Amino acid sequence: MSFDAQTIYDLLPAIYRTRDAEQGGALRQLIGVIAEQVAVLEEDIEQLYDNQFIETCADWVVPYIGELIGYRQLYGSTPTVRSPRAEVADTIRLRRSKGTAAMLAQLARDVTGWDACTVEMFTRLATTQFLNHPRLDNIATTSVRGPLQLERIDGPFDATPRTVDVRRIASDRGRVNIGNVGIFLWRLRSYPLTDTPAFKLDDRRYLFNPLGAPVRLFQAPMTDDFAQATPSAVNAQMPLTRLQVDADRLARNARPPFAQFYGNNASFVISGVAADAISICNLSDKSDGSWAHMPAAGKVSIDPVLGRIAFGTAPAAPPNVSFHYGFSDDLGGGEYDRSATIDPALRPLVAAPAQAAGLQSALDGVSNGGAVEIGGSGRYAATPRITVTAANKRVELRAANKARPLLALGGEMVITGQDGSEVTLNGLVISGAALRVKATNDGRKLKLLRLRHCTLVPGNDVLPSGAPRLPDGVSLVVETADTRIEIERCIVGGLRVAAGAQLVITHSIVDATRDSGVAIAAPDNVSGGAALQISSSTVIGKVHTAELTLASNTIFQASLAQGDVWRAPIWADRRQQGCVRFCWLPLAARVPRRHRCLPTADADPRPAFTSSRYGDPGYCQLSRRTPSGIRQGADDGSEMGVFHDLFQSQRETNLRLRLSEYARFDQEVGFIFVT
């Protein structure tokens, strides 16, 4: 029934309505107030039914439904668990399939945000089989003629039966037992690099990586929601192996071949090369400097482990390639979403030409303010110069969103500007030489240099033979005092910033390639450089700054070489000001007062990285061997270092809390980290 004011008013006798109209309509106004409150009551009664379901209930009801089912709040480390409504809904749904392998895998995926695969370890037991229920794939002996099966031993897709292991899987010592369940987790993510030119070594030998360094190819990330919870050997975000890819190539009835890994929407592809012309080989170096297993004429060999391509017949031009590589987070240049860092109001916007020779002209066209945007992930062999010719103007050189262009410098890239001007580099990978910020001929100085989501390739060991060398591994030199340098979510080599400037680093890696190298100092490599403010970053190498304003949640891995002239590996000239909090740095560091830092005089935990070489998938990722004091040593309980915002320790804690609720009483669950 409708309780609107007009309907109720029409129910009154005509005499009352007539008398009310004569006296100014006071009764109509009273009925309007009553009808308004009745409508509120009617809506509240209708909402009572909706409030019985988590999908339709009001926001204030969500905690009550959660309390009713015993829901416990988790750390908000992933998008799924940041929404209490979604978490309560998942709790109700997952309890209906409590203890099953598919449910545990889905739970791990939702709670951690990592790819996860669950294995019930009793399926890997070599047992005497009941003839009414044979398991034909459960053969007690392993065939040595199956190289792919042998390669997968001890991995998530191992099919080799075992005898009983009575050690506990929860302690990461035992594996195969009747009540054991293993959750395999992939911490690394797979990132694409699309339509980029392969790096040419000679007429027949190429590398996937446009930088000319080895790269491990990864499987393309999964897109199907169900597949994300139940990854298999062909859709998990994990490194490709030669045997795995070759088995797909040789699969029976594969039409077309390489259906899983090769193609425009697959893990990798070479432009203009058909799948039936490809073979998978070990293209390792021979003693004479050539590669093993070079293909015959008309054929192409690929090594997914080393990222190498060998042509039997030399192509007319370097081919373009698309592939996936592994890394931990959206950091440095990459084909991920950077839309939040792109200012659409900066005009004029000039599209960079396809040819590297036109890049300087495009930059000259915005010297009075504006942006130059590079589309795609091509390779620009050029040495541009950025000059801001007007005071208080902004110039930006950036990659288009979800693009990763490579700027291969032949010499130093000089940046100058008038007083109050700003220069921003966004989304670029720059190799071959350093950036240098200088004053103009009349002494004008740039106000701000901002680096966002850029990679200034650190060190010389990742550069191909014959490429220009970076002096002392330096990637940025700032000669001007009073210039502010902001580095956000970048990977850079050594920084040489003049005293009097300001250096602000967040969520970045500063890599001098060795602990005793110079990561941050003045341009002379010894004197104290700019005042430093750094947070949630990883620094490999020595640091000498005039003033360490603030260091927070950062790892400083540095040491003095024998006969070193430096007084300390981390050295601040003025120690009366500033603060170092929740950081790892050597005890010998000469810094302002420390708060909750490691190591201490009583404990000496040291960080261990999966890899300290740029280009490796686990670059600067804290190894599982790293003590928990570092992996949980930040101010919010997360890990110290550049990957602080991944909240990996909180993700693991969330999963442990949920497993205590969802695993059956007879199950013991263990975590096995694949990457």
Side-chain angles (χ1 to χ4, degrees):
M1 180 177 179
S2 176
F3 290 98
D4 62 278
Q6 185 61 42
T7 301
I8 299 175
Y9 191 71
D10 291 342
L11 294 176
L12 294 176
I15 183 64
Y16 296 132
R17 284 181 279 154
T18 301
R19 180 93 38 104
D20 181 55
E22 294 173 352
Q23 297 180 1
L27 182 58
R28 176 186 286 273
Q29 296 177 11
L30 175 62
I31 290 178
V33 174
I34 295 173
E36 182 180 347
Q37 297 305 312
V38 170
V40 172
L41 181 61
E42 183 183 37
E43 181 182 359
D44 188 58
I45 293 173
E46 292 177 352
Q47 183 64 35
L48 288 176
Y49 178 79
D50 293 337
N51 284 347
Q52 298 181 59
F53 306 97
I54 188 63
E55 295 85 357
T56 57
C57 69
D59 290 341
W60 65 269
V61 182
V62 172
Y64 292 94
I65 297 179
E67 182 70 21
L68 183 64
I69 64 173
Y71 162 74
R72 290 187 294 175
Q73 184 75 32
L74 299 178
Y75 293 107
S77 55
T78 62
T80 305
V81 298
R82 290 192 193 111
S83 169
R85 183 187 297 272
E87 259 288 271
V88 173
D90 285 342
T91 300
I92 297 172
R93 174 174 57 85
L94 294 176
R95 281 185 180 172
R96 296 170 182 168
S97 53
K98 178 177 180 178
T100 63
M103 184 280 299
L104 292 175
Q106 180 67 53
L107 176 69
R109 176 65 178 85
D110 290 344
V111 169
T112 65
W114 297 323
D115 286 346
C117 173
T118 300
V119 176
E120 296 173 300
M121 292 301 181
F122 75 85
T123 62
R124 297 184 177 177
L125 279 175
T127 60
T128 302
Q129 300 192 34
F130 182 36
L131 294 180
N132 289 346
H133 301 285
R135 292 159 55 196
L136 300 180
D137 58 340
N138 189 255
I139 303 174
T141 57
T142 300
S143 173
V144 295
R145 295 186 177 90
L148 182 59
Q149 181 179 354
L150 297 176
E151 182 182 66
R152 291 177 175 172
I153 287 178
D154 288 335
F157 311 112
D158 180 12
T160 305
R162 305 289 207 288
T163 56
V164 171
D165 190 342
V166 298
R167 295 173 297 179
R168 297 189 60 207
I169 191 173
S171 63
D172 199 24
R173 299 181 64 193
R175 290 252 181 126
V176 180
N177 205 341
I178 295 175
N180 288 356
V181 175
I183 298 182
F184 292 83
L185 299 167
W186 288 266
R187 293 191 293 168
L188 295 181
R189 296 167 57 186
S190 185
Y191 287 88
L193 190 55
T194 308
D195 203 25
T196 187
F199 187 88
K200 181 179 179 180
L201 294 178
D202 56 36
D203 289 341
R204 296 175 56 196
R205 298 188 300 168
Y206 291 82
L207 302 176
F208 275 94
N209 191 346
L211 284 170
V215 62
R216 183 72 180 269
L217 304 191
F218 266 59
Q219 298 186 60
M222 298 166 290
T223 56
D224 180 74
D225 290 340
F226 180 76
Q228 287 181 348
T230 56
S232 67
V234 295
N235 64 8
Q237 297 186 74
M238 59 188 295
L240 291 172
T241 67
R242 301 181 183 102
L243 291 175
Q244 179 187 9
V245 180
D246 196 51
D248 177 48
R249 184 181 68 87
L250 299 175
R252 293 181 179 180
N253 302 322
R255 294 294 184 270
F258 282 139
Q260 295 290 343
F261 300 120
Y262 189 84
N264 290 325
N265 297 315
S267 298
F268 64 94
V269 69
I270 304 173
S271 62
V273 177
D276 55 8
I278 289 177
S279 60
I280 305 301
C281 300
N282 182 350
L283 298 177
S284 299
D285 293 322
K286 296 169 65 175
S287 58
D288 59 359
S290 61
W291 290 354
H293 305 107
M294 291 294 288
K299 298 295 183 179
V300 179
S301 294
I302 293 177
D303 188 336
V305 175
L306 299 176
R308 294 180 171 183
I309 309 169
F311 287 88
T313 302
N320 283 1
V321 296
S322 298
F323 63 96
H324 290 77
Y325 63 94
F327 198 52
S328 299
D329 197 13
D330 298 346
L331 187 71
E335 293 185 3
Y336 50 82
D337 186 16
R338 295 179 291 102
S339 56
T341 66
I342 295 177
D343 183 5
L346 187 58
R347 289 289 187 270
L349 176 61
V350 177
Q355 301 299 323
L359 182 58
Q360 184 63 61
S361 298
L363 288 170
D364 292 341
V366 298
S367 61
N368 197 30
V372 174
E373 185 170 277
I374 303 175
S377 300
R379 186 174 189 270
Y380 285 74
T383 308
R385 179 187 180 99
I386 300 179
T387 303
V388 187
T389 58
N392 303 314
K393 294 294 184 178
R394 296 167 52 203
V395 171
E396 181 173 6
L397 175 61
R398 70 188 183 212
N401 192 33
K402 298 187 178 180
R404 186 202 178 208
L406 168 63
L407 189 57
L409 302 179
E412 286 188 339
M413 179 176 172
V414 178
I415 302 173
T416 59
Q418 299 294 316
D419 292 342
S421 59
E422 301 179 8
V423 171
T424 300
L425 303 179
N426 189 345
L428 305 174
V429 177
I430 302 175
S431 70
L435 309 183
R436 184 175 292 271
V437 178
K438 301 173 63 175
T440 61
N441 293 333
D442 56 355
R444 308 289 183 177
K445 299 176 182 178
L446 190 72
K447 174 186 176 183
L448 173 64
L449 173 64
R450 183 184 295 110
L451 303 180
R452 285 179 169 173
H453 295 277
C454 287
T455 297
L456 309 184
V457 179
N460 294 314
D461 57 335
V462 298
L463 297 176
S465 176
R469 304 286 98 181
L470 296 171
D472 300 320
V474 178
S475 61
L476 173 64
V477 180
V478 180
E479 299 178 354
T480 56
D482 305 324
T483 298
R484 179 180 174 90
I485 311 298
E486 295 181 359
I487 300 176
E488 176 187 352
R489 303 197 74 85
C490 292
I491 300 172
V492 299
L495 305 177
R496 304 293 183 267
V497 186
Q502 292 181 317
L503 179 59
V504 180
I505 303 174
T506 57
H507 301 98
S508 297
I509 298 172
V510 182
D511 185 6
T513 70
R514 65 186 189 278
D515 295 358
S516 58
V518 180
I520 301 174
D524 63 2
N525 271 7
V526 177
S527 304
L532 174 63
Q533 179 179 328
I534 185 169
S535 63
S536 301
S537 298
T538 298
V539 179
I540 300 176
K542 299 181 296 185
V543 176
H544 188 186
T545 175
E547 179 181 335
L548 188 54
T549 307
L550 175 65
S552 178
N553 299 333
T554 295
I555 294 175
F556 294 92
Q557 182 154 306
S559 63
L560 296 178
Q562 186 173 5
D564 206 318
V565 298
W566 284 43
R567 294 184 181 179
I570 309 297
W571 181 6
D573 291 335
R574 292 191 293 273
R575 288 181 286 164
Q576 295 80 10
Q577 298 178 348
C579 178
V580 180
R581 58 190 296 275
F582 299 95
C583 293
W584 191 96
L585 70 167
L587 282 173
R590 298 169 63 89
V591 295
R593 63 185 185 277
R594 310 185 194 199
H595 175 71
R596 303 285 293 275
C597 291
L598 293 174
T600 62
D602 301 325
D604 188 19
R606 293 183 175 273
F609 298 116
T610 303
S611 172
S612 58
R613 182 182 184 277
Y614 171 73
D616 289 345
Y619 176 59
C620 284
Q621 177 194 58
L622 285 180
S623 167
R624 296 283 302 168
R625 302 190 306 273
T626 300
S628 59
I630 298 175
R631 290 194 291 116
Q632 301 174 5
D635 54 4
D636 54 4
S638 185
E639 67 182 55
M640 299 176 180
V642 65
F643 299 122
H644 165 272
D645 281 7
L646 291 179
F647 299 106
Q648 300 196 72
S649 60
Q650 284 92 332
R651 298 187 193 199
E652 188 175 339
T653 300
N654 286 346
L655 184 55
R656 293 188 187 280
L657 289 174
R658 280 290 181 259
L659 286 175
S660 64
E661 179 180 350
Y662 287 100
R664 298 195 310 266
F665 73 94
D666 61 335
Q667 289 178 328
E668 183 174 5
V669 182
F671 301 158
I672 304 164
F673 288 87
V674 185
T675 59

